[in-house]
Amino acid sequence: MDSIPSPAQELVLIDRELALLDSRRAMLLARRAWLVDVLGTQAARPGGAAGAAGAVPGGASGWAGTDGEASAWGVRTVLLALGGALLVIAALAFTLLSWGVLGIGGRTAVLGAVTVVALAVPAVLLRRGLRATAETVAALALALTVLDAWALYLLAGPWAWGASGYTAAAAALLAVLWTGYGLAFRGLRAPLPAAVVLGQFPVTVAVVAFGGDARTVAWVLLATGAADALPALRARSAAVRVTAWSAAGVTAGYALLTSFEASLRGGVEPALLLLAGAALGVAVGWRVAGAGAVACAMVAAAAWAAAGGGLLRAVVPAAWAWPTYAACASLLILAVAAAPAVRVVPQAVRRGLVWASDGIMGLGLLVAVPLLIWVQTALVPDVWAGAALEGPGAEPAPVWPAVVTVALVGGVLASGASVPAGVGGPGVRVAARCGALGLGALAAWTVPVAAGLPYGAVLAAHLLVVAALLAVAVRPTRVAAGLEGAAPGVNVVAASGFGCAVAAAAGVAVAGLATRAATLVVLAALALLWTGASAAAGSRPWLRAASACGAVAAAAGFTGAAGAAAGWPAHWVGAALLAVPAATACLGARLRHDAAAVPVEGAGAAVGAVAVALSAGRPGVLALVLGLAGVVAAGTALRKERLRVAGPLAALLLVAAAWVRLALWDVTVPEAYALPVAVPALVVGALGRKREAGTGSWAAYGPGLAAGLLPSLCADWGDADSSRPLLLGAVALAVTLGGARRRLQAPLLLGGGVLLLVALHELAPYVAAMVGVLPRWLPPALAGLLLLMVGATYERRLRELRRLRDAVGRMG
């Protein structure tokens, strides 16, 4: 029987064995890589177990196992760095000074030979796996090439193009040499980045050598930065890419900065260089992704704005510098948002363009907004001095550029183009729309003043601004059109419009203080505007309430201003202001459960407090104002929902009015002050207890009894010769008996306590006289006897006290 497999079967068997060998080889390679990684980690540890694991590749085995503070890698790095530095210093000293009888030619030849050897040694070291040593020797060789170039310059004598020309030529040749050396030995990391750094100098130094001016140097630097973009984008080595990006940023950035400084003085050439820089930034940003693309686009946008501003700067005054830059930035934003061709630009580039333009416009606002605010504060008039508002004075030029900047930025924010697509969510767009609203209001507010319009026209324009802002607060849907998250966005816009309206109303109220008639007209108009806004608030309770409070404040201001314009003193103006809380109380009764009811009454109460403060200088008028305020509060307390707050307030105001009147009458008897408080309080307590059966006697009668009895008790203890003790004792006895009859705690305890204290006060002189004639041993004996009796009957007394407590507790 033939057992030899057929060729097809044998091929199958061979393929199977090869597959098994491949899988085994892959497993062994993975294991080897893991072991190499473990050994490398142990070698890097500062003393430890690496030595126990055997030798570490790269010659680290002799150090990793020793007990020391430095790792083998650290020791090796320090030794190599020190060795390389010492060799460079030695070579420098050899080149500068001398070596025996050798002249400059001999030293150059020796130095060249050493350089050739140093350039060749890294190849041998790399083949033996000594990469770190090879890097050190290669760095030494690069330094020696520089010294060779210097030695050649010293040997050749004066160069035809001078030192700068020779430096440019040497830098170019060395850059080419280092590039070729790095490409030949790719295991070395230093030559290629060093070549990139050295490549920044040849063209620039050559331009300087041939007498190029600053603008030519700027163009050369920009071109050098553009050339750096090629290795930055295409190089495989991360070190080369980082070095190229850094070099491009330094050279191109310096060129753009110098061009921007030149563009501030105007001119076409700086603008052309900035435009070239903008094009370079967009082109490079198109080729990269992420943060790099955004950064390049931001540089491009800044260069574009600086170029446009520089061109316009040549034909506009100096004060219009910021508006021109803001205008160029806004054009770029609108172009990015509207141009269909821009849609093919990567999103990161568009985002960087918009962000940089936003930053430029923000810088313009930092200049413009404080100037406009300063203009408004500088125009605050003296109160009723008769002087109308004037324009910004002898320096109107800075105002109009600020107005244009604010209006321009506000328009861009309103368009929504200042927010890149997909950034920030709807909240950022709502904030942009609110910012546009505020900037537009500020611009509209300043234009009449900057235009030098008459005083009446300025006030009318300001009132129109207030009316427009209130209209936005009442109907914000048009301003908030197109916003995501409709309801929250609309509410935020409404709140922003209301806040701007409050600020504008305060400003026009201050501006109206120039004359009496203007003050009255402005306050009346504001009262009407706030009332209209409250009535038209619709489904926004907060807007209705806040606008109603604004109307109350404006009405109070109008009332006070009318009284002051009529020549009334401050205390009578305060009395006139009581008309406002009276009106708000009536309005609150009509509104009832409306959202504006409580805020309106609260605002009226605040005006009442101002009225009391104004009338404090005349006690007679103060008593009248307090009494009238108490009447208003009492009328409010007739409403059940206001009783808890308005009732005590009415009592307090009426009592205060009575006390002020008694003080004017020089009344010194405390009962005259106490009884007007005690009697109404007792009446109110009785009515409240009758209405609500669960009300306790302390809540119903405690305040009234304390107010009526305690002041008289204090006066009785300080006054020995009067009929007050008899009367107070009689009243306290009556209160005690009434409390016992009605089984009420408060009258029983308060009346009994006052009666006991009055009796002790009356008997105190006799007790003191009797104590004076008693023997000295009698008081201690009586005290001991008392303690003995209490101790003997302790349990029975506790039981009786418990019964007494329960009996008192069962009272009302």
Side-chain angles (χ1 to χ4, degrees), residues 21-35:
L21 290 175
D22 289 339
S23 63
R24 180 64 177 171
R25 184 175 184 275
M27 184 187 68
L28 292 175
L29 287 175
R31 180 65 178 175
R32 180 182 181 279
W34 180 82
L35 291 174

Side-chain angles (χ1 to χ4, degrees), residues 170-203:
L173 291 175
L174 289 178
V176 173
L177 174 63
W178 292 359
T179 302
Y181 188 71
L183 293 176
F185 301 101
R186 294 186 178 274
L188 299 176
R189 291 176 293 183
L192 290 179
V196 172
V197 173
L198 196 59
Q200 311 303 309
F201 300 100
V203 181

Side-chain angles (χ1 to χ4, degrees), residues 258-267 270-271 274 306-307 309-311 313-314 325:
T258 56
S259 300
F260 174 73
E261 189 274 334
S263 71
L264 294 177
R265 298 185 296 271
L274 289 169
L311 289 175
R313 178 69 183 81
Y325 291 119

